[in-house]
Every structure is written in structure tokens, then in C-alpha cells.
Amino acid sequence: MSCSAHPHVEHHGTALVTEARGVLTDAGEQWTDMRARVFDALANRDAPASAYDIAETLSASEGRRVAANSVYRILDLFVRTNLANRIESANAYLVNSHPGCRHDCIFLICDHCGKAEHVDDDRLTHSLREAADKAGFSDVRPVVELRGICAACK
């Protein structure tokens, strides 16, 4: 679903988990205990996390080793179903706080603290798609990453 025609709702806490579970099950997938734990670990991070970061967090909290490969598969599912976004340059993931809306990704990434913010600008990404179309490309998926210093680190 595209949200360019209406403002989307940013979900947090239990509302985010409820929305994510609904989006995943609507996509024909199951909301398993392991998927819930991975989602929770990702949602509770202040900065983007790698599969290894999430596996380490889960391993510590569960007292048993959680394989990064298992986490990767879940994170890939989350990206496919719009529950998370992948920051390409860092091979890291960020929870999508409005999983019911599909937008192209624009990330603002802080070079000091590593925090990333996902913003939506459908006009900008539409222009990128048009440029790609003129160059003969199809099925373009714009992912824009802007690096700089966040307001908290200034």
C-alpha cells in the first residue's frame, strides 16, 4: 500500500507490535515466538542493527546461542513484508514504525552516533524513478542514504 495520499501513523510500543503482527499475518506468514523476539530486539534499538547484533542480544537474553543465519532469514522476511528497512551501506536494519505503508527509503544516518532516521518524500523518490525509467531501467527500488550529523550530536 502506498501512503502518499494520506499521512501515515507512526506506531510505537505495543501498537507497533500489533500492527507488525497484522501486516505479517496478512501477508500469509506466521508471527512466531522467534519472529516476535527478533522484532522486539530490533524495535528496542536506538540505532540500526545487524543480524549479528540481534543474535548477540537474543543469545544474552535467552542464555543460549542464537544463530545469526536464523536472524538474517527473519530480517529478510521483515524487509519483504515492510516490517523493517535495510540500510544498504551498513548492512543493518531499522524497524519500520509504519509497516502498513509502503514508501521508498530515504535514510538520514548520523556519522557520530550511528542513529538512522527514515523519512518519506514521495516527490523525491518519484523523480528518481522517472530518471531511471528514462535511462531504460525498470523495477527500480530507490534507497537513498544521506550521512551527516544528527541534531543531538551537533
Side-chain angles (χ1 to χ4, degrees):
M1 157 188 344
S2 174
C3 289
S4 59
H6 67 276
H8 54 261
V9 176
E10 300 285 332
H11 299 283
H12 304 282
T14 56
L16 176 59
V17 173
T18 300
E19 179 73 10
R21 183 185 310 120
V23 167
L24 192 66
T25 56
D26 287 350
E29 298 288 344
Q30 293 182 348
W31 184 260
T32 65
D33 287 341
M34 183 61 170
R35 289 174 181 176
R37 289 193 303 271
V38 169
F39 188 83
D40 187 54
L42 186 61
N44 287 313
R45 301 209 40 124
D46 291 331
S50 71
Y52 290 96
D53 295 333
I54 299 297
E56 184 177 303
T57 298
L58 294 176
S59 294
S61 68
E62 295 180 14
R64 65 176 182 87
R65 183 180 171 278
V66 174
N69 286 344
S70 298
V71 174
Y72 264 119
R73 284 191 295 278
I74 292 170
L75 290 171
D76 286 343
L77 171 66
F78 287 173
V79 169
R80 282 193 315 276
T81 56
N82 204 41
L83 302 186
N85 295 304
R86 183 170 182 264
I87 298 178
E88 306 284 338
S89 65
N91 192 24
Y93 300 83
L94 185 66
V95 73
N96 182 358
S97 61
H98 48 92
C101 295
R102 289 215 179 255
H103 288 279
D104 295 316
C105 297
I106 302 171
F107 294 108
L108 305 172
I109 305 165
C110 181
D111 287 330
H112 282 155
C113 68
K115 181 181 176 183
E117 186 175 330
H118 177 212
V119 296
D120 299 313
D121 187 332
D122 291 340
R123 292 174 308 180
L124 173 64
T125 55
H126 178 73
S127 294
L128 293 172
R129 287 178 180 278
E130 281 183 340
D133 187 54
K134 287 178 185 174
F137 280 76
S138 61
D139 296 326
V140 173
R141 179 183 53 92
V143 177
V144 179
E145 298 181 10
L146 303 171
R147 299 197 72 95
I149 309 301
C150 72
C153 291
K154 269 193 215 180

